[in-house]
C-alpha cells in the first residue's frame, strides 16, 4: 500500500487506487503528496536462513543484491540506462553493501544534476527521493538468536552478523546525503537488530505506540468478539471463550492513549504486578524496553508514561517458570504447589520462595524490597497457575481495605497478610554492613528473630518484632478474618489465615490464625 501510494512509478495509477479513500482528502488538502519517492524494498523474511552461517551470509547478500537489482529493473528508465547495464556495473556480488551504496549515490547524483538544470533527466521531478521499506527486518536475525541454541556465540562473529550491522549502519549514513534515503518504514517484532550494541541504527521511531495507527497493530476486542460470533454455535459459547481469552491472554497495549481502543484485550491487565519506572535511567532500562517490545511488559493503564506491568496470566506463568528454573527450584516448587492444592499447606511454597529470595536479594535494592514487592514476586513464581485462583490485594470492603493475597482452592480458602521488615531497620548491635547482617540473620532461630529490635532509623515501629506483631499486625489480620466478605467467600471450604512476615530478605516467619481471630500455636520460620 505504501509503495503504491509513494512510488513514482505508480503515479498514473493513483486515481484508480486511492481516489475516494480517506487519504485522498489529505492529498486534496495538500497535507501529503503521492508519487514522490523511489521505493527501495527489502524483505528479510524471504532471505534463505541456512544453519551453516557461511551459507546464511551468502543468502543474506543475495537477498540484498536481489532487492537492489529489482529497483534497477523498475526504475532504469528514469536514469536513461538499461537495467542490464545498471545491474552488471553497479551490483557487487561479493559486497552487497557496496551495491546499496552505489544505488543511493546514483540517485543522489542524478537528482543533484536535475537541480542544476540537466534536462537529460526530464522524466524525474526534482522533489523525488528514496523511500526505504524493510519488511520483517528481524526475521533473518531471529533465526540465530535462540537462547537455547549454541549458535549465538558463533553468530556474533559471523559474516552474516557483520552484514546485518553494516546494512543498517550504511542506511543511517546514506540518510545524510542531500538526495539520499529520506524515509524508512520498517516492520518487525524486536528492535534487537537495530540497537546500539549491534548496528547503531538509533534513529527509528516506534509507530506502534502512536494512537493513529493503533488499529493496524493487532486485533481489537471488538474484532475478537465478532470472530467468535461466527465460529461459535451460540452467543453463550462466544461469551465463554471471550472470558477465557480475557483472563489468560489479556493486557497488550500498542498505544499509550487511553481513548483509543487498545489491541485485544486490555480489560483486566495485572496492574498490581511488578511496576517498573520507565522514565528513569536505571541500569536495566534496556532489558525493560526489550521485554516491552516482546510483549512481556505492557503499559500501566493508570500511568502509562511511567509504569510497566506484566501483560497477562500467560506472561506471569512464563516469568515464574523462568525464574524458578534459573534458581533450580522449579521441580521442588511444583511439588510444593501440589501439596498446597491438596492440603492447603502454604508453608512448603513459602519455604521455596525463601530460598529464591535468599539467592536473589543480595544488592541494596534486594534488601530494600517492600511487602508489596515480596507478595507480587511470590505470586509470580508460585501461584500463577490456572489450577489456583489467586487475588492479590483483594478488596474485602471499603472500611477494612485490601487483603494482600487471597488463594481459593476447591477445598481450601487461604487468606494472607504480608509484611516486610527491612534489614537496615533492625538492631544488630554494633554497626556492620548488610552482607554481615544478612549472614547473622540467616543463622537465627524463631525466638531470636521475634526478639530482634527495631533501630532508631525505623520511625514507625518500636520495640521488638514480636511486640509489633501483637500490637499492630494482630488487629489488622483479625479484622480481615472476621469480615462478612471472607466468611461468605470461604463458604464450606476449610479456612486458613496466615501472617507472612519477610524479615531482612533472609527469613520468612509464618503465624496461623483461626476463624475466631486467635493465633494458632507459635510462629514458625519456613
Amino acid at each position: 500500500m505504501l509503495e503504491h501510494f509513494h512510488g513514482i512509478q505508480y503515479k498514473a495509477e493513483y486515481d484508480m487506487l486511492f481516489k475516494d479513500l480517506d487519504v485522498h482528502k489529505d492529498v486534496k488538502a495538500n497535507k501529503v503528496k503521492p508519487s514522490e519517492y523511489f521505493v527501495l524494498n527489502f524483505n528479510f523474511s524471504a532471505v534463505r536462513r541456512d544453519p551453516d552461517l557461511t551459507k546464511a551470509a551468502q543468502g543474506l547478500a543475495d537477498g540484498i543484491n536481489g532487492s537492489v537489482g529489482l529497483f534497477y529493473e523498475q526504475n532504469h528508465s528514469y536514469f536513461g540506462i538499461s537495467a542490464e547495464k545498471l545491474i552488471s556495473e553497479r551490483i557487487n556480488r561479493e559486497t552487497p553493501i557496496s551495491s546499496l551504496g552505489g544505488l543511493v549515490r546514483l540517485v543522489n547524483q542524478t537528482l543533484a544534476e536535475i537541480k542544476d538544470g540537466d534536462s537529460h533527466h526530464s522524466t524525474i521531478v526534482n522533489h523525488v527521493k528514496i523511500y526505504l521499506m524493510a519488511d520483517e527486518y528481524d526475521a533473518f536475525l531471529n533465526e540465530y538468536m535462540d537462547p537455547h541454541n549454541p549458535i549465538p556465540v558463533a553468530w556474533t562473529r559471523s559474516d552474516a552478523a557483520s552484514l546485518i550491522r553494516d546494512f543498517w549502519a550504511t542506511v543511517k549514513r546514506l540518510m545524510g546525503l542531500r538526495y539520499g534515503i529520506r524515509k524508512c518504514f520498517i516492520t518487525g517484532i524486536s528492535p534487537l537488530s537495530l540497537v546500539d550494541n549491534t548496528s547503531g541504527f538509533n534513529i527509528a521511531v516506534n509507530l506502534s505506540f502512536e494512537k493513529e495507527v493503533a488499529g493496524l497493530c493487532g486485533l481489537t476486542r471488538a474484532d475478537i468478539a465478532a470472530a467468535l460470533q461466527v465460529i461459535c454455535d451460540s452467543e453463550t459459547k462466544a461469551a465463554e471463550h471471550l472470558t477465557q481469552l480475557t483472563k489468560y491472554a489479556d493486557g497488550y497495549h500498542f498505544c499509550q492513549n487511553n481513548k483509543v481502543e487498545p489491541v485485544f484485550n486490555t480489560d483486566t491487565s495485572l496492574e498490581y504486578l511488578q511496576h517498573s519506572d520507565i522514565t528513569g535511567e536505571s541500569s536495566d532500562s534496556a532489558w525493560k524496553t526489550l521485554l516491552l517490545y516482546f510483549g512481556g511488559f505492557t503499559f500501566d493503564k493508570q500511568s502509562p508514561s511511567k509504569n510497566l506491568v506484566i501483560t497477562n496470566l500467560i506472561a506471569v506463568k512464563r516469568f515464574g517458570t523462568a525464574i524458578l528454573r534459573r534458581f533450580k527450584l522449579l521441580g521442588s516448587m511444583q511439588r510444593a504447589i501440589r501439596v498446597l492444592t491438596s492440603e492447603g499447606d502454604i508453608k512448603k511454597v513459602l519455604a521455596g520462595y525463601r530460598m529464591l529470595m535468599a539467592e536473589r536479594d543480595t544488592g541494596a535494592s534486594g534488601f530494600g524490597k517492600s511487602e508489596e514487592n515480596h507478595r507480587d514476586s511470590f505470586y509470580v513464581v508460585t501461584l500463577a497457575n490456572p489450577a489456583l485462583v489467586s487475588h492479590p490485594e483483594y478488596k474485602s470492603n471499603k472500611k477494612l481495605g485490601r487483603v494482600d493475597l487471597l488463594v481459593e482452592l476447591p477445598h481450601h480458602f487461604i487468606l494472607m497478610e504480608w509484611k516486610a521488615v527491612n534489614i537496615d531497620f533492625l538492631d544488630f548491635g554494633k554497626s556492620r554492613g548488610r552482607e554481615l547482617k544478612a549472614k547473622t540473620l540467616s543463622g537465627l532461630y524463631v525466638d531470636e528473630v521475634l526478639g530482634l529490635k527495631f533501630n532508631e532509623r525505623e520511625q514507625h515501629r518500636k520495640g521488638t518484632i514480636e511486640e509489633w506483631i501483637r500490637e499492630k499486625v494482630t488487629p489488622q489480620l483479625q479484622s480481615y478474618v472476621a469480615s462478612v466478605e471472607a466468611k461468605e467467600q470461604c463458604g464450606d471450604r476449610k479456612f486458613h489465615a496466615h501472617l507472612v512476615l519477610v524479615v531482612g530478605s533472609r527469613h520468612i516467619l509464618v503465624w496461623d490464625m483461626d476463624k475466631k481471630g486467635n493465633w494458632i500455636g507459635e510462629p514458625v520460620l519456613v
Side-chain angles (χ1 to χ4, degrees):
M1 180 186 69
L2 288 175
E3 179 181 4
H4 281 74
F5 181 84
H6 290 293
I8 187 175
Q9 70 269 41
Y10 301 107
K11 186 174 183 178
E13 301 175 33
Y14 173 82
D15 285 345
M16 180 185 70
L17 295 171
F18 296 101
K19 189 176 181 180
D20 298 327
L21 298 181
D22 284 347
V23 71
H24 186 59
K25 300 173 185 176
D26 288 340
V27 172
K28 290 193 296 183
N30 290 321
K31 293 181 180 180
V32 63
K33 293 181 180 179
S35 310
E36 278 199 317
Y37 293 90
F38 289 119
V39 176
L40 176 56
N41 263 323
F42 295 93
N43 184 355
F44 288 96
S45 66
V47 174
R48 177 167 55 92
R49 288 161 276 182
D50 197 286
D52 185 325
L53 288 174
T54 301
K55 294 180 180 178
Q58 187 58 54
L60 180 59
D62 292 343
I64 294 172
N65 277 328
S67 295
V68 172
L70 181 60
F71 177 91
Y72 287 139
E73 290 176 2
Q74 293 177 332
N75 300 289
H76 66 92
S77 61
Y78 295 108
F79 304 101
I81 307 173
S82 69
E84 293 77 10
K85 186 174 182 180
L86 286 170
I87 291 172
S88 63
E89 293 182 357
R90 291 186 171 271
I91 289 184
N92 188 322
R93 299 296 177 186
E94 301 299 322
T95 313
I97 299 303
S98 298
S99 304
L100 173 62
L103 182 155
V104 177
R105 283 188 288 273
L106 171 65
V107 174
N108 183 68
Q109 178 184 345
T110 302
L111 295 178
E113 291 174 356
I114 292 174
K115 190 70 175 178
D116 294 336
D118 187 341
S119 60
H120 176 68
H121 303 289
S122 58
T123 55
I124 308 178
V125 291
N126 61 14
H127 55 257
V128 172
K129 300 167 281 289
I130 296 177
Y131 198 142
L132 186 148
M133 298 181 186
D135 193 20
E136 297 192 48
Y137 68 84
D138 55 347
F140 179 82
L141 173 70
N142 289 343
E143 186 77 17
Y144 304 98
M145 294 303 290
D146 181 357
H148 304 293
N149 191 311
I151 285 181
V153 176
W155 161 259
T156 57
R157 304 170 184 170
S158 69
D159 291 340
S162 178
L163 185 51
I164 284 283
R165 290 192 296 269
D166 291 347
F167 178 86
W168 290 111
T170 301
V171 170
K172 180 179 178 180
R173 185 177 69 253
L174 293 174
M175 292 186 78
L177 293 178
R178 186 179 181 186
Y179 300 108
I181 299 172
R182 307 312 299 165
K183 282 184 180 290
C184 288
F185 187 82
I186 306 169
T187 68
I189 298 171
S190 162
L192 196 57
S193 64
L194 301 179
V195 294
D196 288 336
N197 64 354
T198 53
S199 71
F201 194 75
N202 56 2
I203 58 176
V205 175
N206 189 343
L207 288 179
S208 66
F209 293 156
E210 300 293 332
K211 66 177 182 178
E212 289 82 3
V213 296
L216 294 176
C217 295
L219 298 173
T220 65
R221 183 180 179 85
D223 293 332
I224 296 295
L228 288 173
Q229 291 288 342
V230 176
I231 297 170
C232 298
D233 299 334
S234 66
E235 290 188 7
T236 302
K237 284 287 186 183
E240 288 177 359
H241 284 297
L242 187 60
T243 299
Q244 291 298 312
L245 284 170
T246 301
K247 181 177 181 180
Y248 294 110
D250 187 27
Y252 293 107
H253 285 259
F254 285 79
C255 174
Q256 297 188 61
N257 190 300
N258 290 338
K259 295 180 181 178
V260 178
E261 182 186 19
V263 174
F264 178 78
N265 54 57
T266 54
D267 291 342
T268 57
S269 59
L270 306 175
E271 290 94 347
Y272 37 73
L273 287 178
Q274 194 63 39
H275 287 229
S276 303
D277 187 350
I278 58 176
T279 59
E281 297 181 357
S282 57
S283 59
D284 58 351
S285 61
W287 180 79
K288 294 173 187 174
T289 302
L290 187 59
L291 283 176
L292 176 64
Y293 275 90
F294 276 124
F297 286 159
T298 188
F299 297 109
D300 175 40
K301 288 181 180 178
Q302 279 68 44
S303 183
S305 64
K306 182 178 180 181
N307 291 331
L308 297 174
V309 294
I310 297 177
T311 50
N312 52 45
L313 292 178
I314 298 298
V316 170
K317 185 175 180 180
R318 288 175 176 171
F319 270 95
T321 301
I323 293 168
L324 292 175
R325 185 178 287 115
R326 165 68 176 81
F327 290 100
K328 298 181 174 60
L329 290 170
L330 183 59
S332 60
M333 194 64 81
Q334 288 175 335
R335 290 190 293 273
I337 290 176
R338 285 195 290 269
V339 173
L340 166 64
T341 305
S342 61
E343 302 176 14
D345 184 358
I346 200 75
K347 293 183 180 63
K348 291 184 182 298
V349 184
L350 287 168
Y353 178 71
R354 187 199 65 79
M355 295 173 64
L356 169 66
M357 176 181 68
E359 289 287 332
R360 179 197 63 191
D361 298 346
T362 54
S365 60
F367 284 115
K369 280 184 167 62
S370 66
E371 61 197 49
E372 290 83 5
N373 296 146
H374 285 292
R375 180 212 56 210
D376 292 347
S377 295
F378 176 75
Y379 177 88
V380 168
V381 300
T382 59
L383 300 182
N385 186 315
L388 306 171
V389 180
S390 308
H391 308 282
E393 289 205 355
Y394 173 75
K395 190 174 183 179
S396 57
N397 61 45
K398 291 182 179 179
K399 184 177 179 181
L400 296 177
R402 297 177 181 270
V403 179
D404 282 329
L405 189 60
L406 194 66
V407 181
E408 294 188 80
L409 300 165
H411 305 291
H412 301 275
F413 180 85
I414 303 170
L415 185 155
M416 283 184 277
E417 178 64 19
W418 282 69
K419 299 291 183 184
V421 176
N422 193 313
I423 199 170
D424 292 334
F425 298 155
L426 291 173
D427 185 2
F428 287 92
K430 199 173 183 181
S431 178
R432 60 187 86 178
R434 285 195 188 96
E435 292 185 6
L436 188 54
K437 287 181 180 179
K439 185 176 181 181
T440 301
L441 180 58
S442 298
L444 299 183
Y445 294 101
V446 63
D447 290 341
E448 296 170 307
V449 171
L450 288 169
L452 285 171
K453 293 182 178 180
F454 296 103
N455 60 29
E456 65 279 358
R457 295 182 62 186
E458 174 56 75
Q459 300 295 315
H460 305 288
R461 292 178 282 196
K462 304 297 180 184
T464 66
I465 288 179
E466 182 174 8
E467 290 169 346
W468 167 69
I469 290 174
R470 292 189 181 277
E471 293 176 13
K472 302 295 184 181
V473 181
T474 301
Q476 185 179 7
L477 186 55
Q478 285 174 333
S479 66
Y480 294 142
V481 169
S483 69
V484 174
E485 290 81 4
K487 287 182 171 59
E488 289 179 350
Q489 193 156 348
C490 178
D492 58 0
R493 290 175 290 185
K494 187 172 181 180
F495 180 85
H496 307 263
H498 310 282
L499 164 65
V500 179
L501 176 61
V502 179
V503 183
S505 292
R506 286 299 174 269
H507 274 305
I508 297 180
L509 184 146
V510 180
W511 205 347
D512 303 337
M513 184 174 282
D514 63 24
K515 273 187 173 183
K516 297 179 180 180
N518 299 315
W519 291 117
I520 301 172
E522 297 296 326
V524 298
L525 297 178
V526 296

